[in-house]
Amino acid sequence: MDSLFEDVFRKLISPDFGKNLGGELPLFIQPIPNQGQTELSSQVQRLVNRLAKKGKKAMTIDLYELCISLLNEEGVLETILEEEQKLEQEDIVSTIDSILDIKSVVIPRIGEMISEQNPDYAFITGVGRVYPFIRSHGILNNLDELAKQNNLILFFPGEYNNLQLSLFGTISDENYYRGHNLDEIKVTIDQI
């Protein structure tokens, strides 16, 4: 993980990062190996701190924390946790799905968070922790407007081959074509 994040850091501080995308959005996916999940939060925070020292502002949006916050705001999380054994699973799922609607709730909230901080980079984490309520392709397919003004990087727990996301390397998601695989982005090291 140290070498993976060193590589990400070098890419992000490069003057040519995000350029020459052929008119495509600055939306990137950084696959994270399964064994690296436990240290992802600390690695991302360290990356934010290192970028700040280079004059680059970065923020982290943890989808799990965001979803917990949204459920708390609606006053349902505590009820769900307390009444879980009494409630039908379908009712729990439909309640969570309606509150965590990607287009009308989650993406607008992410947009607000980004607007408030106006970062050079917005890192999105917590993808594996919100599955199956929020699926990565749902987030990625709705980030277009936000990516027009910001470099968005989704730290994805699994594999991405530029065609398909595979959560934890085992759960295939719908095809996604717009995100650039950060592993495949090349920068000129002597410019760093």
Side-chain angles (χ1 to χ4, degrees):
M1 286 291 280
D2 288 341
S3 64
L4 184 146
F5 273 85
E6 179 63 27
D7 190 43
V8 170
F9 173 72
R10 291 188 166 282
K11 290 173 184 179
L12 297 184
I13 62 170
S14 170
D16 59 346
F17 179 79
K19 295 184 171 57
N20 304 319
L21 296 176
E24 294 182 33
L25 297 173
L27 178 56
F28 303 90
I29 299 170
Q30 176 57 63
I32 301 295
N34 291 341
Q35 65 273 22
Q37 298 308 307
T38 56
E39 60 182 289
L40 180 60
S41 293
S42 61
Q43 288 283 357
V44 170
Q45 186 55 53
R46 185 171 161 248
L47 179 61
V48 168
N49 296 339
R50 290 181 73 196
L51 289 168
K53 291 177 184 175
K54 293 288 188 178
K56 301 283 186 185
K57 184 176 181 181
M59 69 176 291
T60 304
I61 299 166
D62 183 321
L63 289 176
Y64 177 78
E65 296 297 329
L66 174 60
C67 290
I68 293 296
S69 176
L70 292 168
L71 291 171
N72 272 326
E73 287 173 19
E74 291 296 320
V76 298
L77 182 62
E78 193 172 312
T79 303
I80 289 172
L81 294 174
E82 289 174 359
E83 305 291 326
E84 181 180 7
Q85 292 185 358
K86 298 176 191 170
L87 298 171
E88 292 292 325
Q89 185 174 2
E90 293 169 1
D91 294 338
I92 294 172
V93 170
S94 66
T95 300
I96 291 173
D97 281 347
S98 67
I99 293 170
L100 301 180
D101 183 75
I102 291 176
K103 286 183 181 180
S104 66
V105 178
V106 177
I107 295 297
R109 182 62 64 91
I110 290 173
E112 290 170 16
M113 295 167 74
I114 291 172
S115 292
E116 286 172 11
Q117 293 197 27
N118 194 28
D120 296 302
Y121 303 105
F123 301 145
I124 300 175
T125 64
V127 173
R129 295 171 67 194
V130 294
Y131 178 85
F133 296 105
I134 302 220
R135 310 236 354 205
S136 14
H137 75 273
I139 292 290
L140 290 165
N141 286 331
N142 288 286
L143 284 176
D144 293 1
E145 284 303 311
L146 300 178
K148 287 180 182 175
Q149 298 149 356
N150 304 279
N151 286 299
L152 300 177
I153 300 168
L154 177 86
F155 288 93
F156 183 76
E159 301 165 0
Y160 178 54
N161 64 7
N162 293 321
L163 295 175
Q164 192 173 48
L165 298 163
S166 179
L167 188 65
F168 305 121
T170 59
I171 303 168
S172 293
D173 217 338
E174 290 183 20
N175 288 352
Y176 184 77
Y177 303 101
R178 288 183 232 146
H180 303 278
N181 189 330
L182 199 53
D183 281 343
E184 296 177 6
I185 301 290
K186 305 293 182 224
V187 296
T188 309
I189 302 298
D190 62 325
Q191 292 180 345
I192 299 174

